[in-house]
Amino acid sequence: MKHKFLLRVLGVFSTLALLIAALPLAPVSAAASIILSPNSGPAGSTVTISGTSTASPDGIQIYLNTIAVGTAYVTSHNIAGSFTVPSNLTRGTYQVSFVFLGNADTAASQTFTITPSITMASATGYVGDSVAVTGSGFTPSTTVNFYLSGSTTPFATTSSSSTGTISTTITIPAAKKGTLSITANDGGTPGTAPVNFIINPKITLSSSSPGVGDSITITGTGFYDGAVQIAIDSGAAVNAGVSVGSNGSFTATYEIPALTRGSHTLKVNDAWNNNAQVTFDIAQKITLTPNTGNVGTSVTVRGSGFNTTGTITLTYFGQSVTVTLSNGTFTTTFVIPGVQAGAYTISATDGSVTSTATLTVTTNITMSPTNNASTPGNVGQEITINGSGLKANDTVLVTFDSAQVTITPSPIVDSNGDFSLKFNVPATTAGPHTITVISGTTSKTFTFFVEGTAPATPAPLTPEMGLKAKQPVVFDWDDVTDPSGVTYVLEIAADQNFTNMLYQIKDLTESGYTMTDAQKLESVSSDSPYWWRVKAVDGAGNASAYTGAGSFTVGFSLDLPTWATYVLIGIGGLLLLALGFWLGRRNADY
């Protein structure tokens, strides 16, 4: 009996032990149900916690991986709470776990995917605007590219920090009017969600204060397809002759019409009535036509942007004239007076505003007459050279084929910068020659053509062909004229071919020559006469043909002193007298 009792006791204790051992393995309650909304998003976004719990815990601690990020509470078994994704976390998938406080409820962990995001400081503006952009959730220390929606080519680039954040400024690219979707991508998948930027039309002018008649450039962005029209101050629209490009941009050139001084509005419309406008001011302005010239040049002055009525005072080269205004404009002319070369200020004022322009006076050297190969000049021709715009008191040097020309008195530039000189073309050869004028640092070269036409062949006169000439022999021929002047060459030879030349007499300025005692010719018979010929040579070296060869002889001559000549004459007279007396007596006898 005792053994049976012990066995019963052991059985009871064994059963209790088994029951006690089994108690911890049985669940106390069912697991809680928790939902994340959303389950992905950028760093800094808010995530909502919702669900149910069979128990009533004191609270729920929420962890993102190992980082405590928030809490949730249970009310009537309903779970409610939220947490903010830390901004320093980078792109990727994170575990969200829950710790129930005060009871044994549990919940399965959830996953949350951090995606990159960007925020723009402005949501609307114009092409070309600089907009600040911040972002997070990118891959650390990598390149981040910005794209327009639908494009695979980035329009801007930056780099992420070691924590995956960015902070940069982007320039809004060219695009048509409307909403521009911008994304950023560091190469991971997916990229950021699009951020919208609204593009508005905009125009800019190349000048904010143009003058009447100025051509300005109008640049437009953010427009739609089609031709653009331009209007000023609500006036009639003018087609600019250009169309908007595929990127919403255009460039047009526009000439400012006649407007009065002050503020004006220029407006541009595209074919879809998208428009933009800009304000500009008409400035006072004068223009010179031409704005460069030499002394004596007529200059036209046009002005605009002055008082609507009244007069302006125009000042130039120390002179002042009054010109009447018409609707703020005027036109007048003046002639550049004798001044030295340089830049001079021309000014116009209506008493309240003044406008200036620069007139450049240039040096000018002219030669008269000028010629060419078809209409050449001649040796000895008078040349006149005038100059203006030169430095006062400078000397003037003239060279002909590099040889200085002597001019008396030496030409000097006067106080007005002018000079005038004359000289004659020196003896030279036919063809082109260089005339250079030098004054200070200024020089000018002219080409002067000398004629190449030979003068006419002289006509021989005496001694006549085959006649006996007296000593001293006198040669004569017809005059020859030539624009370049004429000299003659006389040749005397002992043969018809002029191989046995006796005399060649050059540079004769008269159309005749008397041989000197030193050139006395010996007496010759008609069987072996002397021969002579002559030619004309002008100042340019052009020579005529020789005359035909003419022959002449020289007879015997006796040189006697004067007294002997008179004695012989007297004796001859006596002989003639005696002969006459004898003949008279003889006739008388018969």
Side-chain angles (χ1 to χ4, degrees):
M1 293 292 292
K2 184 184 273 190
H3 290 291
K4 291 180 178 179
F5 177 77
L6 289 173
L7 289 171
R8 289 191 182 108
V9 171
L10 289 172
V12 170
F13 277 105
S14 297
T15 301
L16 290 173
L18 289 172
L19 290 172
I20 293 171
L23 285 175
L25 297 178
V28 175
S29 62
S33 174
I34 296 179
I35 299 173
L36 301 181
S37 180
N39 57 11
S40 67
S45 61
T46 299
V47 181
T48 299
I49 302 295
S50 62
T52 58
S53 174
T54 58
S56 296
D58 295 335
I60 303 172
Q61 188 69 48
I62 306 169
Y63 290 85
L64 195 61
N65 282 0
T66 60
I67 303 171
V69 294
T71 57
Y73 298 94
V74 179
T75 303
S76 299
H77 301 289
N78 292 319
I79 299 174
S82 66
F83 68 90
T84 299
V85 179
S87 61
N88 61 347
L89 297 183
T90 59
R91 171 202 295 270
T93 300
Y94 292 81
Q95 290 296 119
V96 181
S97 57
F98 313 95
V99 175
F100 289 81
L101 305 178
N103 66 33
D105 255 6
T106 61
S109 62
Q110 306 286 326
T111 59
F112 185 86
T113 302
I114 293 181
T115 58
S117 68
I118 56 173
T119 301
M120 299 178 66
S122 177
T124 184
Y126 306 99
V127 170
D129 281 358
S130 293
V131 180
V133 179
T134 56
S136 62
F138 292 94
T139 301
S141 305
T142 191
T143 299
V144 177
N145 295 317
F146 293 88
Y147 300 86
L148 294 181
S149 178
S151 173
T152 58
T153 303
F155 70 86
T157 300
T158 190
S159 296
S160 61
S161 68
S162 59
T163 59
T165 62
I166 62 169
S167 179
T168 188
T169 299
I170 63 172
T171 300
I172 302 300
K176 295 180 180 179
K177 174 180 170 58
T179 300
L180 204 63
S181 294
I182 298 174
T183 60
N185 198 334
D186 60 5
T189 303
T192 64
V195 175
N196 291 334
F197 185 88
I198 299 174
I199 296 288
N200 294 312
K202 179 183 179 181
I203 57 173
T204 58
L205 305 182
S206 57
S207 174
S208 61
S209 55
V212 172
D214 283 356
S215 289
I216 61 171
T217 300
I218 305 172
T219 302
T221 58
F223 287 85
Y224 253 53
D225 296 346
V228 296
Q229 292 191 326
I230 301 170
I232 292 183
D233 296 339
S234 301
V238 177
N239 192 312
V242 298
S243 295
V244 178
S246 59
N247 61 0
S249 302
F250 73 88
T251 299
T253 300
Y254 181 74
E255 183 175 310
I256 300 297
L259 298 170
T260 56
R261 184 171 72 243
S263 181
H264 300 269
T265 301
L266 185 147
K267 185 177 182 180
V268 174
N269 274 60
D270 64 17
W272 299 83
N273 206 33
N274 297 306
N275 63 79
Q277 62 185 36
V278 64
T279 299
F280 65 95
D281 291 319
I282 286 292
Q284 67 275 11
K285 171 189 174 184
I286 61 172
T287 59
L288 309 177
T289 306
N291 58 12
T292 300
N294 47 56
V295 172
T297 299
S298 179
V299 178
T300 299
V301 187
R302 293 181 176 86
S304 59
F306 292 90
N307 288 336
T308 304
T309 59
T311 62
I312 62 100
T313 300
L314 181 69
T315 302
Y316 58 93
F317 300 105
Q319 305 178 53
S320 294
V321 296
T322 300
V323 182
T324 301
L325 287 165
S326 174
N327 199 31
T329 66
F330 72 89
T331 299
T332 189
T333 60
F334 67 86
V335 174
I336 299 177
V339 292
Q340 298 179 42
Y344 294 85
T345 298
I346 312 301
S347 67
T349 180
D350 61 8
S352 57
V353 295
T354 301
S355 180
T356 61
T358 299
L359 176 62
T360 301
V361 178
T362 57
T363 58
N364 185 42
I365 299 176
T366 60
M367 183 180 79
S368 177
T370 58
N371 61 23
N372 53 45
S374 299
T375 56
N378 53 270
V379 171
Q381 185 170 358
E382 185 177 75
I383 302 296
T384 301
I385 296 179
N386 294 310
S388 64
L390 299 158
K391 183 179 178 182
N393 301 319
D394 271 356
T395 58
V396 182
L397 174 69
V398 179
T399 63
F400 190 94
D401 288 341
S402 300
Q404 183 173 348
V405 177
T406 301
I407 302 172
T408 305
S410 297
I412 301 292
V413 179
D414 65 21
S415 59
N416 292 326
D418 301 333
F419 75 85
S420 182
L421 60 88
K422 295 181 179 182
F423 70 94
N424 297 101
V425 176
T428 186
T429 57
H433 297 271
T434 300
I435 298 175
T436 303
V437 184
I438 304 171
S439 177
T441 59
T442 301
S443 66
K444 188 167 184 179
T445 299
F446 303 91
T447 299
F448 186 87
F449 291 83
V450 173
E451 53 89 16
T453 303
T457 302
L461 298 176
T462 60
E464 296 179 12
M465 186 75 172
L467 294 182
K468 181 181 291 187
K470 296 180 180 181
Q471 298 276 23
V473 180
V474 176
F475 299 89
D476 192 19
W477 55 88
D478 279 341
D479 290 339
V480 173
T481 60
D482 188 277
S484 293
V486 171
T487 59
Y488 303 95
V489 178
L490 171 66
E491 291 183 346
I492 304 168
D495 65 291
Q496 187 175 0
N497 295 325
F498 288 83
T499 55
N500 184 12
M501 186 77 68
L502 299 178
Y503 296 104
Q504 186 183 61
I505 306 166
K506 299 180 178 180
D507 301 324
L508 297 175
T509 57
E510 301 293 335
S511 60
Y513 182 73
T514 300
M515 299 190 73
T516 64
D517 289 341
Q519 298 168 331
K520 185 176 180 180
L521 296 172
E522 296 179 357
S523 296
V524 293
S525 67
S526 59
D527 294 333
S528 55
Y530 293 109
W531 298 84
W532 74 283
R533 65 184 182 181
V534 66
K535 69 177 179 180
V537 180
D538 68 14
N542 304 304
S544 73
Y546 276 102
T547 61
S551 66
F552 66 96
T553 60
V554 176
F556 173 79
S557 63
L558 179 65
D559 291 333
L560 294 174
T562 302
W563 66 269
T565 300
Y566 285 122
V567 169
L568 289 175
I569 293 172
I571 293 172
L574 290 174
L575 289 174
L576 289 173
L577 181 62
L579 179 61
F581 180 76
W582 177 75
L583 290 174
R585 288 288 304 269
R586 185 175 178 180
N587 290 331
D589 291 338
Y590 289 101

